[in-house]
Amino acid sequence: MHNATFTTVGGLLNYPQDELGRLFTGQNRGEWLEFLRSRLAPTDGSVYADRLLHSAVAPSKQLMAVAAEEVRRREQFVLLDEQRVAFDMVMHEVEKVRAGDHKSVVIVSGGPGSGKSVIALTLLGELNRRGRSAIHATGSRSFTQTLRKVAGSGSRQVQSLFKYFNSFMDADKNGFDVLIADEAHRLRETSANRWTKAEHRTGKAQVDELIDAARVPVFLLDQNQVVRPGELGTVEDIEKAARERGLEVHHVDLSAQYRCGGSEAYIDWVERLLGLKPGGPVPWDGDPNFEVRVVESPSAMEATLAAKLDEHYGARMAAGYCWPWSDPRKDGTLVPDVRIGDWARPWNLKGDRSVGEAPPSALWASEPAGFGQVGCVYTAQGFEYDWNGVLIGPDLVWRTDRWVTVRSANRDPDFRNAKRVSDQDFDALVRNVYKVLLSRGMRGTLLYSTDAETHALLQSLVDAA
């Protein structure tokens, strides 16, 4: 009774006071505050009030309940700045389209480590908790299978929330409230491939299938991670497809950068090094949050990364696709195809089954046993580890004052056909490949080039630190 005194309400003190009832007046406000502190949580609970107010007034489907619990128990993310803007925009659009019975498209663009997948998984968990139907899709087998394993561990129902871009050829129109297209820079022209049934070979664009499948399709992408011919997930491509349908488009650019130790300077250095940003290569000035080293040999790189593993850091070594890629031998051993001097190691596995101690290709970046095999862009893209070793092959070399891309040195089957992939496209794709490989580390990157002139350039730039 905040405005009473003992004189005016003293008679009430005769009533029993126990765990079910206490009396406080304006004269013992301090005791009242201490009582509240002993009973209430010290943190603000308004977020839970918001969640309650936005919850669906109906029982959610069993699948959604299971998914919400699975993702909730694994949620360890705190959204920052632009990430929160993107998250709030999607949630606002979901409520708006449900009330107004229309569609809108959200595009979230950002560089490596800017939090696109954090936003995606946070959205998936929160939407399911609110009883909204949400599905997650990527164009990466490695990324999707890892998410199924981690977020959907022990539940096939939850695993079914993680799909591929080509899973929506026959989807119901607006069948979901939200479709979260993660890694959307890997969108293809169409979903059809050699295994597609005849009735689904309509020629419909894959981006149109994804837009049709949900009331709020959300595309998260990095335009500088297009690494294969036929991939066309750019902001312009998606905006064009949406506006041709008369749909609203909302775009959030994640200008912050969080993966590489928070080092925006490192991402800028990589993009200038590779010619993806004007200005040309510049010396690495150093950053207390991120370390860059040029090593003298692949064996030195591997030894340094192994030492980081012993210190309980994550570490992987990846390379450009410049060596043959053999199937495992009949006895289950891997062929050490990546040969540089007297050092040789095998690529990660091609298939979905482990061989010996080596994990399936989709889990190379996340399973501890992946160390010891060399990863490629297709198994590294979308993942991160503390320490990152990159072997730059002879398909990208520095000559005097410019980069030269060497098609004959590249072994990627997708790049063989010069009619399908022009020299200009090959040049752009190879630079994007190395941008992806160079931006996987959170604490540091180790560099080695098989080409002497290129290695000397890297050494001169990094020695400046």
Side-chain angles (χ1 to χ4, degrees):
M1 305 178 74
H2 65 280
N3 60 350
T5 64
F6 286 139
T7 302
T8 56
V9 298
L12 297 177
L13 296 173
N14 297 326
Y15 284 89
Q17 298 190 50
D18 53 27
E19 71 274 12
L20 299 180
R22 297 280 302 277
L23 175 63
F24 299 93
T25 72
Q27 288 176 292
N28 58 341
R29 182 174 178 273
E31 294 176 29
W32 162 238
L33 293 176
E34 284 299 318
F35 175 80
L36 290 179
R37 291 190 185 101
S38 71
R39 296 297 193 276
L40 303 178
T43 55
D44 178 14
S46 60
V47 63
Y48 301 104
D50 290 342
R51 185 175 297 170
L52 175 63
L53 291 172
H54 288 93
S55 294
V57 190
S60 57
K61 298 177 182 178
Q62 183 181 7
L63 171 60
M64 297 299 110
V66 174
E69 177 62 15
E70 286 295 324
V71 178
R72 183 192 65 78
R73 288 193 291 113
R74 290 165 175 76
E75 185 178 276
Q76 301 177 32
F77 309 125
V78 177
L79 298 182
L80 305 172
D81 302 327
E82 289 86 355
Q83 297 173 343
R84 170 57 66 177
V85 171
F87 174 87
D88 289 342
M89 177 174 289
V90 174
M91 301 307 296
H92 173 71
E93 289 303 307
V94 170
E95 298 305 320
K96 191 168 77 172
V97 300
R98 286 175 66 88
D101 194 28
H102 69 281
K103 285 171 67 87
S104 65
V105 174
V106 178
I107 302 172
V108 181
S109 61
S114 55
K116 297 183 296 295
S117 293
V118 169
I119 295 168
L121 292 177
T122 305
L123 281 170
L124 185 65
E126 182 60 23
L127 287 163
N128 285 322
R129 279 191 285 272
R130 295 190 184 186
R132 309 298 187 232
S133 57
I135 201 85
H136 183 282
T138 79
S140 167
R141 185 164 55 92
S142 297
F143 200 41
T144 297
Q145 290 194 20
T146 298
L147 288 172
R148 286 175 176 174
K149 180 176 183 290
V150 175
S153 177
S155 171
R156 289 188 178 182
Q157 290 178 306
V158 177
Q159 291 172 4
S160 70
L161 291 178
F162 298 98
K163 297 186 179 297
Y164 298 104
F165 290 156
N166 62 2
S167 302
F168 301 91
M169 287 185 279
D170 59 349
D172 293 337
K173 191 170 184 177
N174 296 328
F176 299 98
D177 288 322
V178 179
L179 189 151
I180 303 165
D182 203 355
E183 299 276 296
H185 42 264
R186 303 201 65 176
L187 285 173
R188 311 290 289 184
E189 293 178 10
T190 70
S191 295
N193 55 40
R194 56 181 173 172
W195 296 286
T196 303
K197 295 179 181 179
E199 61 266 28
H200 293 151
R201 294 181 180 274
T202 62
K204 186 176 182 178
Q206 191 172 76
V207 65
D208 290 334
E209 292 172 352
L210 299 178
I211 289 175
D212 282 348
R215 292 192 176 279
V216 182
V218 181
F219 297 89
L220 302 106
L221 59 93
D222 175 3
Q223 299 185 133
N224 284 332
Q225 287 197 44
V226 174
V227 298
R228 299 180 87 163
E231 293 180 344
L232 43 72
T234 67
V235 173
E236 292 74 21
D237 292 328
I238 298 167
E239 283 186 337
K240 181 174 182 290
R243 297 198 190 283
E244 285 177 351
R245 293 161 175 260
L247 301 179
E248 284 185 71
V249 179
H250 306 276
H251 179 204
V252 179
D253 182 16
L254 302 171
S255 57
Q257 195 283 332
Y258 298 107
R259 172 180 287 133
C260 299
S263 178
E264 189 174 349
Y266 174 70
I267 292 298
D268 181 73
W269 183 78
V270 167
E271 290 179 346
R272 291 190 62 172
L273 172 69
L274 296 174
L276 299 174
K277 182 180 284 189
V282 293
W284 169 244
D285 290 334
D287 187 319
N289 295 316
F290 197 81
E291 186 172 345
V292 181
R293 299 187 210 169
V294 177
V295 296
E296 290 306 313
S297 66
S299 56
M301 177 182 289
E302 187 176 39
T304 302
L305 295 176
K308 295 299 181 183
L309 284 176
D310 291 339
E311 297 172 9
H312 306 292
Y313 291 108
R316 288 294 184 276
M317 184 185 297
Y321 199 160
C322 298
W323 291 268
W325 199 323
S326 305
D327 292 325
R329 301 184 181 100
K330 291 183 178 179
D331 63 1
T333 57
L334 305 184
V335 180
D337 286 316
V338 184
R339 293 184 174 275
I340 303 173
D342 58 0
W343 180 89
R345 289 293 180 272
W347 288 109
N348 60 254
L349 290 177
K350 295 180 182 178
D352 296 332
R353 294 186 178 183
S354 59
V355 175
E357 295 183 356
S361 63
L363 303 180
W364 167 82
S366 55
E367 287 285 331
F371 189 81
Q373 305 113 50
V374 179
C376 70
V377 67
Y378 304 125
T379 47
Q381 191 171 31
F383 295 96
E384 57 190 28
Y385 17 88
D386 296 312
W387 286 90
N388 179 30
V390 180
L391 301 171
I392 300 176
D395 59 346
L396 183 66
V397 296
W398 182 262
R399 292 293 177 262
T400 308
D401 61 353
R402 70 195 64 195
W403 288 106
V404 176
T405 51
V406 184
R407 186 191 289 268
S408 60
N410 189 281
R411 300 296 190 99
D412 192 329
D414 282 339
F415 295 161
R416 287 176 185 165
N417 190 328
K419 292 182 178 179
R420 184 180 175 213
V421 182
S422 68
D423 289 343
Q424 183 178 358
D425 289 342
F426 174 78
D427 180 271
L429 290 169
V430 167
R431 292 172 193 248
N432 281 352
V433 164
Y434 283 108
K435 192 252 175 118
V436 171
L437 294 180
L438 287 166
S439 57
R440 300 302 96 192
M442 295 185 292
R443 293 178 178 270
T445 296
L446 309 182
L447 298 169
Y448 178 84
S449 172
T450 60
D451 176 75
E453 186 175 345
T454 308
H455 193 77
L457 167 74
L458 297 173
Q459 191 76 63
S460 67
L461 294 176
V462 174
D463 276 352

